[in-house]
């Protein structure tokens, strides 16, 4: 049988997929595709979707549905209070009206025209034309630009930068905007340093004990010591793996701290009173007159603004 994405055994009776994907049979042609395509809407008739590849949905996604893609996720229609998960980028041609329960998690970037009452988490950046009462956490940046480009209400956080045309509104609605790292990360890093030192000493003790057993075993055979060596070796292997995992986590956090030294909040047009700013450990509430066309940065542990002109 003709097709793509699989191999056939020599006797012609067994078909083996060469990729992880969706099996399709159309016009007597068999194929395994990395892309799962939904021509209409995703609702209770289609059920939830969980696919080990990319997903393209040409219609809308109804409230209460769950769509998970190991790769990227593209949705052409409107998204209601659904759950979207992707290992790669998530692109919404329209946007999401989350009604307080809609959520998005992306291992890459998230992009959409608008997000309302939605929870968004992305390891990369989040890009939109407007955000209303959303909870957003981005590993890199948040950009809400364009003619409207407003972040109104909710809580938004990014490690590197947040840029928007307008923050808050004339009603002075509380809008929480933060960049950089949480102050508690300094305490956590200190704990990691201490834990790594203890683990290094433990590994040294285990290594010394194994070497002593090896020296003894050179002179005579001891089943008891051989078993002891095997037991200590397993403990040492686990301890070293734990050490490397914690060391990698510490390096990632230290990199975030380094990036946070240059974190900034960019105001392309207006920031209304009632907006609350956080840059690393410093905080500031906008009071009195609104601020126009400025960038907020941390200078000597104080949030200061400079003109963009």
């Amino acid at each position: 049988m003709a097709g793509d994405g699989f191999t056939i055994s020599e006797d012609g009776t067994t078909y083996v997929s060469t990729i992880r994907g969706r099996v399709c049979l159309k016009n007597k042609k068999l194929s395994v595709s990395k892309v799962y395509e939904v021509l209409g809407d995703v609702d209770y008739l289609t059920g939830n979707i969980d696919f080990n590849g990319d997903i393209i949905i040409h219609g809308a996604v109804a409230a209460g549905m769950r769509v998970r893609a190991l790769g990227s996720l593209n949705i052409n229609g409107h998204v209601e209070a659904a759950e979207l998960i992707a290992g790669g980028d998530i692109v919404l041609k329209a946007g999401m009206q989350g009604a307080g329960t809609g959520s998005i998690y992306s291992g890459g970037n998230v992009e959409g025209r608008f997000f309302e009452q939605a929870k968004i988490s992305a390891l990369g950046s989040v890009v939109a034309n407007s955000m209303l009462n959303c909870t957003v956490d981005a590993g890199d940046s948040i950009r809400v630009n364009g003619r409207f480009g407003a972040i109104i209400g909710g809580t938004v956080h990014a490690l590197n930068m947040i840029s928007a045309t307008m923050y808050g509104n004339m009603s002075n609605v509380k809008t929480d905007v933060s960049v950089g790292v949480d102050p508690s990360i300094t305490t956590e890093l200190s704990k990691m340093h201490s834990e790594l030192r203890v683990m290094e000493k433990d590994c040294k003790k285990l290594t010394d004990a194994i070497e002593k057993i090896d020296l003894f075993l050179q002179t005579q055979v001891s089943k008891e010591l051989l078993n002891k060596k095997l037991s200590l070796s397993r403990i040492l292997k686990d301890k070293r793996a734990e050490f490397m995992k914690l060391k990698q986590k510490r390096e990632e956090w230290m990199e975030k701290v380094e990036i946070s030294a240059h974190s900034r909040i960019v105001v392309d047009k207006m920031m209304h009173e009632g907006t609350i700013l956080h840059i690393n450990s410093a905080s500031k509430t906008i009071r009195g007159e609104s601020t126009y066309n400025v960038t907020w940065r941390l200078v000597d542990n104080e949030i200061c603004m400079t003109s963009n002109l």
Side-chain angles (χ1 to χ4, degrees):
M1 182 178 289
D4 301 305
F6 63 90
T7 59
I8 306 174
S9 62
E10 291 184 2
D11 60 8
T13 60
T14 305
Y15 294 77
V16 180
S17 173
T18 56
I19 60 175
R20 299 176 69 181
R22 183 191 184 199
V23 179
C24 301
L25 180 62
K26 186 176 182 181
N27 298 326
K28 296 184 178 180
K29 184 177 180 180
L30 182 68
S31 65
V32 182
S33 172
K34 288 185 178 181
V35 179
Y36 185 94
E37 196 166 0
V38 181
L39 298 180
D41 299 337
V42 173
D43 51 28
Y44 288 103
L45 292 176
T46 61
N48 297 327
I49 297 175
D50 193 333
F51 183 66
N52 291 325
D54 300 333
I55 297 176
I56 299 174
I57 299 171
H58 291 278
V61 179
M65 304 311 299
R66 182 178 186 269
V67 180
R68 176 187 172 275
L70 197 63
S72 63
L73 173 58
N74 286 264
I75 302 174
N76 294 331
H78 176 74
V79 180
E80 296 179 349
E83 181 182 9
L84 308 179
I85 304 170
D89 295 343
I90 295 178
V91 178
L92 310 184
K93 291 292 180 66
M96 172 183 272
Q97 287 179 315
T101 59
S103 65
I104 297 173
Y105 174 80
S106 168
N109 303 314
V110 173
E111 183 176 345
R113 282 173 54 199
F114 66 89
F115 297 102
E116 295 181 9
Q117 293 184 298
K119 184 176 181 179
I120 305 169
S121 178
L123 295 184
S125 297
V126 178
V127 180
N129 289 334
S130 68
M131 289 182 182
L132 176 62
N133 292 324
C134 290
T135 300
V136 185
D137 184 42
D140 182 25
S141 62
I142 296 173
R143 298 190 298 276
V144 187
N145 304 114
R147 187 175 63 86
F148 186 51
I151 299 176
I152 302 174
T155 301
V156 295
H157 168 264
L159 175 63
N160 185 18
M161 178 193 72
I162 295 178
S163 174
T165 303
M166 183 176 71
Y167 298 79
N169 61 11
M170 295 180 66
S171 300
N172 300 336
V173 62
K174 180 182 176 182
T175 304
D176 202 290
V177 182
S178 67
V179 292
V181 296
D182 190 278
S184 64
I185 197 171
T186 304
T187 304
E188 290 298 320
L189 278 172
S190 179
K191 287 171 61 178
M192 285 183 191
H193 288 310
S194 299
E195 289 176 23
L196 287 170
R197 283 195 297 269
V198 171
M199 292 168 69
E200 277 184 314
K201 290 178 181 179
D202 290 343
C203 287
K204 179 67 168 58
K205 289 177 182 177
L206 288 166
T207 302
D208 290 344
I210 293 170
E211 288 177 353
K212 287 180 181 179
I213 292 175
D214 282 335
L215 286 173
F216 186 86
L217 291 174
Q218 289 176 10
T219 60
Q220 65 181 86
V221 178
S222 170
K223 187 177 180 180
E224 183 181 348
L225 284 178
L226 278 172
N227 290 334
K228 182 68 173 176
K229 177 185 175 181
L230 288 173
S231 177
L232 292 176
S233 297
R234 283 193 291 268
I235 295 171
L236 178 60
K237 182 181 178 181
D238 292 342
K239 185 69 69 174
R240 282 174 172 168
E242 186 182 352
F243 175 85
M244 292 306 298
K245 186 177 180 180
L246 184 60
K247 184 179 179 182
Q248 182 180 354
K249 184 178 180 180
R250 183 191 65 176
E251 289 172 354
E252 290 173 355
W253 282 28
M254 288 176 68
E255 184 180 354
K256 288 182 179 181
V257 170
E258 186 177 346
I259 293 172
S260 71
H262 307 285
S263 297
R264 60 200 184 279
I265 299 169
V266 181
V267 185
D268 289 337
K269 187 177 180 182
M270 182 186 301
M271 179 174 281
H272 287 280
E273 181 178 0
T275 304
I276 304 170
L277 309 181
H278 307 275
I279 302 181
N280 293 343
S281 59
S283 299
K284 180 181 181 64
T285 300
I286 303 301
R287 304 185 189 280
E289 293 185 358
S290 304
T291 60
Y292 297 84
N293 201 17
V294 298
T295 295
W296 296 93
R297 290 185 174 88
L298 201 60
V299 179
D300 296 329
N301 207 36
E302 183 178 342
I303 298 177
C304 301
M305 68 176 181
T306 57
S307 174
N308 294 336
L309 299 178

